[in-house]
Amino acid sequence: MAAIEIYLPYLIPPVLGALIGYVTNYIAIRMLFRPLRAWRLLGVRVPLTPGIIPSKRGELARRMGEMVGSHLFTSEDVGQALAREGFRRELKGAVSEKLGQFVDRDLGPLESLVPAEFRNRFRDLVDYLRWRAVKVVFDYLESEEFETRFRDYLRQWGDELLSRDLQSFLDPQRYDRLRGHMDEKISSFLGSEGVGRAVGRFVDGKTEAWVSSRRTLRELLPADLVEVILAQLEKEIPPLLEKLGGMLYDPDFRTRLVKKGKEGIEGFLDSLGGLSGLLAGFINMDKVYERIPEFLDKAGDEIARWLREEKTQEQVAALLRERIDGLLDRSLGDYLEKVPYEKVAGVRRFVRRRAVETVQSRRAAESVLALAEGGMDRLKDRPFASLLERALPEGGLERSRQALVDRLLGVLRSPGARRALEAVLAEKLEQWLFRQSLGKLSARVPGDLREELEEGLYRQLAELLKKEVPPLVETLNVRRMVEEKVNSLDLLQVEGLLMGVMKEQFKYINLFGGLLGFLIGLLNVGALVLLAGG
């Protein structure tokens, strides 16, 4: 106890100095923030109230704004940060990632890309653009400029077309394709049921008219056809008579001729009635029958020579012509009035069937195709202009061209054309923008195009940031923003902000104050010791 009392005078000054130094520093630091408001005693403001930070808050905010805006966050600093390689690498990666997510996503209709709150506006915009497009198109169609250009274009195009011939359009390959197409169409047309029925009706109508008509065959048949038939028959008479004369030497024909002779003699005798018996008593009929072949042998050469004589042939031809003239002067009904109806109907059905088969045969198709080819061969070397000028009246080609242009202009400018264009645009825009799914763009965008797109977007975005962000930083007025932000903070928030940054430093300041007080106390002890020793 005595020892403690001895050292106590030496311990108290340093300990008390340390305590005083620590407490005074702690109080000084707290007085930076406290009190938050001024204290008043008997209406007089207590000095050092409020604390330094609350009382100098406006100045602190202004200084912090100047520090940040003028030194910490300048447009030059932002520009340098945007130009750094690391930032550009991150920007390129972000562009590639976002673009990949967009093109690999299964997109719906174009309307689905528009935010929901703007979709009605989007439809209104589409309707307006559609109306505007139709108006612009028809304003131009109705202008004199369009009419002049349209007429000039059709004039030039028409001159070029009319100066060409059919052969210039038909090279060997096209000609073969055209011929095959025509052959197919002709065969299909002639072989169709409609053509068959039409031919059948035509044949039925003609046969009915011939059967019921009282006109002679000469009136029904063309005169040239009758003359051709008669001339052809006259040409056939000499070889026919020559062949008839040769038949007299044919054994079979002679046998039949002898038989017919016997039948003729017997028929003659039967027609005589009672005289036949009287003649039989005077004439031996068996010997007469035996002499018939001998008679034919003697008369055959004479008959054959007689048939070859020109006079005989002329007489036969005259008789044949006279007989045919008689037949031609009768109507077809005269020949058929005694023929049963079933036979007439059968003949008509046969004629109808043969006519339809003939028209629908391959030969008929080839004949029509040959006629078409012949027509093309005659016309293929002649310009279209000369063909049309021959086919149309004088000046008709020019009038037709002018009428065609006027007609086309009228159609293009008509209300019907406007309605048609509006309907087509409405239908297509509805389908493309509101119903048809876009799908994945990656399936439609080639790989090289995607890389070029990424690179282009990256360059444009980097250039935009480099060019526009620094001026934006200047226009933001960072100094004022910081000042207003600090002024808007609660005092406790400001205290928490500063304490969060300098709490550790404030602790060491307190400890340093305690250490300094401890050293001052030691100095006091040393001074007392020195004075006591003196």
Side-chain angles (χ1 to χ4, degrees):
M1 190 67 180
I4 294 175
E5 291 178 354
I6 294 175
Y7 292 105
L8 189 59
Y10 300 102
L11 294 176
I12 288 178
V15 172
L16 186 59
L19 180 61
I20 293 172
Y22 183 87
V23 171
T24 53
N25 281 4
Y26 176 79
I27 293 174
I29 292 174
R30 292 296 295 173
M31 288 180 68
L32 293 173
F33 307 97
R34 293 291 190 277
L36 299 179
R37 294 176 178 83
W39 290 353
R40 295 185 177 276
L41 183 61
L42 300 177
V44 179
R45 183 175 67 86
V46 178
L48 301 179
T49 63
I52 297 176
I53 298 299
S55 62
K56 300 296 184 180
R57 177 178 177 174
E59 185 177 353
L60 175 64
R62 186 171 56 258
R63 294 296 180 88
M64 290 180 66
E66 292 177 355
M67 177 61 68
V68 173
S70 301
H71 303 285
L72 301 181
F73 194 73
T74 63
S75 59
E76 291 81 4
D77 295 334
V78 173
Q80 293 175 1
L82 294 176
R84 291 174 183 171
E85 185 64 28
F87 174 79
R88 289 184 171 271
R89 186 167 51 251
E90 290 294 331
L91 178 62
K92 189 172 185 179
V95 170
S96 177
E97 179 183 357
K98 296 301 181 182
L99 180 62
Q101 292 176 357
F102 180 76
V103 299
D104 293 333
R105 188 176 64 183
D106 194 2
L107 301 175
L110 183 62
E111 184 189 26
S112 63
L113 302 180
V114 179
E117 60 271 20
F118 297 113
R119 288 180 184 175
N120 290 334
R121 292 293 185 182
F122 179 69
R123 275 191 173 273
D124 294 340
L125 176 62
V126 171
D127 292 340
Y128 172 76
L129 292 177
R130 174 172 56 82
W131 172 82
R132 187 64 181 171
V134 173
K135 186 177 184 305
V136 169
V137 169
F138 274 85
D139 285 347
Y140 181 67
L141 289 179
E142 294 172 357
S143 65
E144 294 183 0
E145 178 186 359
F146 170 76
E147 182 173 347
T148 302
R149 290 187 176 183
F150 186 69
R151 290 184 181 276
D152 292 343
Y153 171 76
L154 288 184
R155 168 71 60 179
Q156 180 181 359
W157 180 77
D159 292 341
E160 293 177 357
L161 180 63
L162 292 174
S163 64
R164 300 179 64 179
D165 53 31
L166 184 60
Q167 190 173 11
S168 64
F169 289 96
L170 297 178
D171 54 22
Q173 293 79 12
R174 289 181 178 176
Y175 182 80
D176 291 340
R177 289 197 299 269
L178 177 61
R179 188 182 187 281
H181 178 73
M182 292 175 59
D183 188 8
E184 179 183 354
K185 292 300 182 181
I186 291 173
S187 300
S188 176
F189 173 73
L190 294 179
S192 64
E193 295 182 359
V195 171
R197 290 193 296 269
V199 173
R201 288 194 298 269
F202 176 78
V203 172
D204 288 342
K206 285 297 182 181
T207 55
E208 180 64 26
W210 290 341
V211 169
S212 60
S213 175
R214 303 310 299 174
R215 298 172 63 188
T216 63
L217 293 178
R218 189 184 301 277
E219 294 173 340
L220 293 175
L221 297 176
D224 294 339
L225 177 61
V226 173
E227 290 298 326
V228 169
I229 293 175
L230 292 175
Q232 188 64 32
L233 287 176
E234 290 178 358
K235 290 181 181 179
E236 296 296 331
I237 286 176
L240 180 63
L241 296 177
E242 183 73 23
K243 186 175 182 180
L244 180 60
M247 291 178 63
L248 295 175
Y249 301 99
D250 184 18
D252 294 335
F253 181 74
R254 288 169 65 91
T255 301
R256 292 195 303 273
L257 192 59
V258 170
K259 183 178 178 181
K260 292 295 183 180
K262 290 180 180 181
E263 293 176 353
I265 293 173
E266 290 176 352
F268 174 73
L269 292 176
D270 291 339
S271 67
L272 296 177
L275 294 177
S276 62
L278 180 61
L279 290 176
F282 291 100
I283 301 174
N284 188 351
M285 299 306 297
D286 293 334
K287 289 185 178 181
V288 173
Y289 293 153
E290 292 176 357
R291 297 294 298 273
I292 290 177
E294 183 179 351
F295 171 77
L296 291 176
D297 290 338
K298 292 180 179 179
D301 294 338
E302 185 66 23
I303 293 173
R305 185 173 57 257
W306 177 73
L307 292 175
R308 286 194 297 271
E309 290 180 358
E310 184 177 354
K311 183 177 181 181
T312 303
Q313 294 175 357
E314 291 177 354
Q315 291 175 345
V316 173
L319 291 173
L320 182 61
R321 175 180 282 274
E322 181 181 356
R323 181 59 180 165
I324 292 176
D325 286 339
L327 295 175
L328 291 174
D329 290 334
R330 298 177 60 188
S331 66
L332 186 61
D334 294 338
Y335 293 102
L336 299 178
E337 62 183 3
K338 296 181 180 180
V339 179
Y341 176 77
E342 291 77 9
K343 290 187 177 181
V344 175
V347 172
R348 290 178 63 182
R349 287 193 298 271
F350 173 77
V351 173
R352 172 178 176 157
R353 183 172 63 254
R354 292 298 299 169
V356 173
E357 290 176 354
T358 301
V359 171
Q360 294 185 335
S361 65
R362 178 60 189 167
R363 185 174 182 180
E366 291 176 350
S367 299
V368 175
L369 182 62
L371 289 175
E373 289 181 330
M376 287 193 299
D377 288 338
R378 290 191 298 271
L379 301 177
K380 65 181 182 180
D381 296 330
R382 301 176 62 183
F384 293 128
S386 64
L387 296 176
L388 292 174
E389 286 174 352
R390 290 192 60 182
L392 297 174
E394 183 178 357
L397 178 59
E398 185 62 29
R399 290 194 298 271
S400 299
R401 293 179 65 179
Q402 186 66 31
L404 177 61
V405 175
D406 294 339
R407 181 65 177 169
L408 290 175
L409 280 173
V411 170
L412 290 175
R413 293 171 172 178
S414 65
R418 178 186 288 269
R419 289 192 297 270
L421 179 59
E422 290 177 348
V424 169
L425 284 179
E427 179 183 354
K428 292 303 181 181
L429 290 175
E430 180 69 23
Q431 177 182 353
W432 294 338
L433 302 181
F434 302 106
R435 292 201 302 265
Q436 183 173 331
S437 176
L438 297 176
K440 291 185 178 181
L441 295 181
S442 57
R444 305 180 183 182
V445 178
D448 54 347
L449 179 59
R450 181 171 176 173
E451 293 178 359
E452 293 177 3
L453 188 60
E454 289 180 1
E455 184 65 25
L457 288 175
Y458 160 70
R459 287 199 303 268
Q460 291 295 326
L461 186 57
E463 186 66 24
L464 179 65
L465 291 175
K466 182 179 179 181
K467 182 178 180 181
E468 300 297 336
V469 170
L472 286 176
V473 172
E474 292 290 343
T475 59
L476 288 176
N477 197 349
V478 176
R479 180 189 64 79
R480 186 172 183 82
M481 289 174 58
V482 173
E483 181 179 349
E484 292 177 352
K485 187 64 177 178
V486 173
N487 286 328
S488 65
L489 292 176
D490 186 75
L491 290 175
L492 295 178
Q493 290 179 323
V494 177
E495 179 182 356
L497 176 64
L498 296 177
M499 290 298 293
V501 176
M502 297 183 291
K503 184 176 181 180
E504 191 71 20
Q505 284 74 16
F506 287 159
K507 182 178 70 175
Y508 288 114
I509 290 173
N510 292 336
L511 293 177
F512 181 74
L515 178 61
L516 187 60
F518 181 77
L519 293 176
I520 293 174
L522 286 179
L523 289 176
N524 288 333
V525 172
L528 291 174
V529 171
L530 290 175
L531 290 175

